[in-house]
Amino acid sequence: MGNADYECPHRVEIPPSKPFLKALKSSLKETFFPDDPFKQFKNQPTSRKLVLGLQHFVPILEWAPRYTFDFFKSDLIAGITIASLAVPQGISYANLANLPPILGLYSSFVPPLVYAMLGSSKDLAVGTVAVASLLISSMLGKVVSPTENPKLYVQLALTSTFFAGAFQASLGLLRLGFVVDFLSHATIVGFMGGAATVVCLQQLKGVLGLVHFTHETDLISVMKSIFSQEHQWRWESAVLGCCFLFFLLLTRYFSKRRPAFFWINAMAPLCSVILGSILVYVTHAEKHGVQVIGHLKKGLNPPSVSELAFGSPYLTTAIKTGIITGVIGLAEGVAVGRSFAAFKNYHIDGNKEMIAFGMMNIAGSCTSCYLTAGPFSRTAVNFNAGCKTAVSNIVMATAVMFTLLFLTPLFHYTPLVVLSAIIMAAMLGIIDYEAVIHLWKVDKVDCIVCLGAFVGVVFGSVEIGLVIAVTVSMLRLLLFVARPRTFTLGNIPDSSIYRSIDQYPDANNIPGILILQIDAPIYFANANYLRERISRWIYEEEDKLKSSGETSLHYVILDLSTVGSIDTSGISMLEEVKKNVDIKGLKLVLANPRSEVIKKLEKSKFIEKIGQEWIYVTVGEAVSACNFMLHTCKPNPGEIEVNRKDDNV
């Protein structure tokens, strides 16, 4: 490009400074209120604001006036369908948590009613979840034995549920939902897969009819416990368990092949419980080594406020268990809710969901319920059954209430091995090997995070797996910040567009000019790295030009279009880069600095040091200016500014 191609560039504007308080308010709003929840309150009378406020925190008040009988018919069918799944799953998961089975039924009564009033999802079906049940069993079981001191164990489980709810509600009220985002998709896939594997291994106790079993959850301890008790294996229990597991997997396979028959898979667990109970009752199998649930007392949830063990010496363990199970429950529940909301093209408010989850667990802990969330299996059944609103949760809770009042004696002969088969069938559906393969194809580091979580859970413990997954995710995040990518840009032929030469091999280098793009904000964590990396780009370019005998290097253009912000360490880095470039007899040029960046460069007087004439709106204008100077025997930089002013006039 010669003089004829040179066009006078536009001046880079420095935005006016905002008052500190106004800037702080804007920053806090973007951080904590990106969805602008107060928008609906603008220009509204006080009475209307009060109504909108109540509807915001209690969503049922917003959609209930529009509720129709057609909606109710759909919700009635969906609610009865998920109730048929909730009853056996509730008993099974309570058994997994080493809690009395009746607590599983209690947990499918009160929490769904609370969520129906406060939740924003139309499809989420509330209930107990396997992973949280396993966490409660493994973490609380280390300090209190559920068999030797069952009362204290139940008290700690209720107390951990209270703290889980308090933590969840606090995140929602304080708009701190982004904390859950640190559990990436890869982390959740690996963690849930590992937890599902551990749960399946734990159910071998019920399938083999073992009475004594390890409280550890790692693979080696479980296998030792199983094979050290070979003489106690009950073939009757094993045959029964394998038959029911095969039946449950077969119904799921059929329902997947024929989605219209989804109800077959939904009804299969309850059918298994009924068939198993009849079989045991008729054959008296309980006298031949097949363990049964036993007596379940009739009646609704008794209050349990007095059972919360705030003065227990194990309170710290209860708090830790509550926070961990609360985070896992939130991550799973919000992800499931958003997934199904996307199918129906509506939006759920993550912070409202956190408040709803928190309140239902606080209420649950006061009414003999342990931790509940939004399990995927139950929500999928609810969705496929055609639910329209959260009323399906109310219908489910009503069906569970009827069960608690009248039907609990019928579960006396339900074999534990059937509950184990129900849990194993549900957990095998959680192990998502296809997602792992997809992660490996798309992002191998994400796949390593996933496998790290899986291995940590299976060979260590649930807590170790979670720590490994979060730690690796955080390290990866820090690595992205501390080691941002930099690219050399070239000109795409027959255009004024400049793009990465790695991505566009046909892009041409500009003789005498090195164009670099920094692909991240510049902070103290990466300033030193960027200074060294830019210096390396410069001497590598100089060596390449010397070896090829091409035009020597004269200008270094930094494209700052992807640098959203910069701190004082970053400004110091640019000052050092400028000094190093000046020493080499080169000239530093900046292109397209963003609003926040140019403001800080102006306040730090860096613009005075580099000169306003060396800052351009686009890379193309910067290259044109540099070429103009190269072809006019490198005049004083001030001449360009004079030309610019003349042209503007």
Side-chain angles (χ1 to χ4, degrees), residues 7 90 93 153 183 309 322 340 365 400 485 500 517 529 556-557 581 586 606 619 625 637:
E7 295 180 4
Y93 291 159
Y153 182 82
L183 290 176
F340 285 96
S365 68
V400 172
R485 300 190 66 182
S500 168
Q517 184 180 68
Y529 166 79
V556 177
I557 299 175
V581 167
L586 309 177
F606 180 77
V619 173

Side-chain angles (χ1 to χ4, degrees), residues 266-553:
M267 298 293 289
L270 185 60
C271 292
S272 299
V273 168
I274 294 171
L275 290 174
S277 301
I278 293 173
L279 186 63
V280 169
Y281 180 77
V282 171
T283 62
H284 301 288
E286 77 277 12
K287 298 178 181 178
H288 300 281
V290 177
Q291 302 172 49
V292 296
I293 289 177
H295 174 68
L296 289 180
K297 63 179 181 179
K298 292 166 65 174
L300 299 180
N301 306 32
S304 57
V305 178
S306 59
E307 298 296 314
L308 299 178
F310 295 126
S312 170
Y314 306 112
L315 181 62
T316 304
T317 302
I319 293 173
K320 184 174 74 170
T321 304
I323 291 175
I324 292 176
T325 54
V327 170
I328 295 299
L330 270 184
E332 180 182 6
V334 173
V336 169
R338 284 174 175 165
S339 299
F340 285 96
F343 286 120
K344 292 185 178 179
N345 196 29
Y346 71 92
H347 173 72
I348 67 170
D349 187 327
N351 288 294
K352 282 185 186 177
E353 290 295 284
M354 292 175 189
I355 294 172
F357 275 49
M359 296 309 295
M360 78 181 184
N361 280 313
I362 291 173
S365 68
C366 299
T367 52
S368 302
C369 306
Y370 79 102
L371 191 127
T372 50
F376 176 83
S377 58
R378 200 176 300 185
T379 303
V381 170
N382 195 32
F383 178 84
N384 290 326
C387 69
K388 298 298 182 184
T389 68
V391 169
S392 60
N393 277 294
I394 298 176
V395 174
M396 177 187 71
T398 305
V400 172
M401 178 187 71
F402 183 81
T403 303
L404 286 168
L405 289 173
F406 304 108
L407 303 180
T408 49
L410 299 179
F411 294 100
H412 182 281
Y413 289 99
T414 300
L416 295 182
V417 65
V418 171
L419 303 183
S420 295
I422 291 171
I423 294 174
M424 291 180 76
M427 292 302 97
L428 289 173
I430 291 178
I431 301 174
D432 194 353
Y433 66 90
E434 292 180 350
V436 179
I437 296 172
H438 178 72
L439 287 172
W440 179 256
K441 290 179 179 178
V442 176
D443 191 328
K444 290 179 173 53
V445 176
D446 255 359
C447 186
I448 291 171
V449 171
C450 174
L451 294 176
F454 179 86
V455 171
V457 172
V458 173
F459 291 96
S461 67
V462 177
E463 304 97 290
I464 290 175
L466 187 60
V467 169
I468 289 175
V470 173
T471 301
V472 174
S473 295
M474 292 296 293
L475 286 175
R476 190 184 185 195
L477 178 64
L478 291 173
L479 190 63
F480 281 148
V481 174
R483 293 293 183 268
R485 300 190 66 182
T486 55
F487 309 95
T488 54
L489 304 185
N491 177 238
I492 294 179
D494 302 320
S495 76
S496 59
I497 299 171
Y498 292 82
R499 291 292 183 267
S500 168
I501 292 176
D502 288 336
Q503 185 179 359
Y504 297 91
D506 293 337
N508 299 319
N509 287 312
I510 309 300
I513 303 172
L514 174 63
I515 310 170
L516 299 176
Q517 184 180 68
I518 300 172
D519 195 27
I522 305 175
Y523 293 130
F524 64 92
N526 59 28
N528 186 57
Y529 166 79
L530 286 173
R531 182 185 66 251
E532 294 176 354
R533 190 68 187 92
I534 291 169
S535 298
R536 181 177 151 199
W537 276 116
I538 292 171
Y539 72 67
E540 284 180 350
E541 182 70 12
E542 288 180 327
D543 289 345
K544 185 176 76 173
L545 293 175
K546 286 180 182 177
S547 61
S548 61
E550 297 178 19
T551 306
S552 59
L553 186 63

Side-chain angles (χ1 to χ4, degrees), residues 48-65:
R48 181 60 181 162
K49 286 182 179 178
L50 180 61
V51 172
L52 289 173
L54 287 173
Q55 290 178 346
H56 180 79
F57 288 104
V58 188
I60 194 172
L61 298 176
E62 192 270 329
W63 55 262

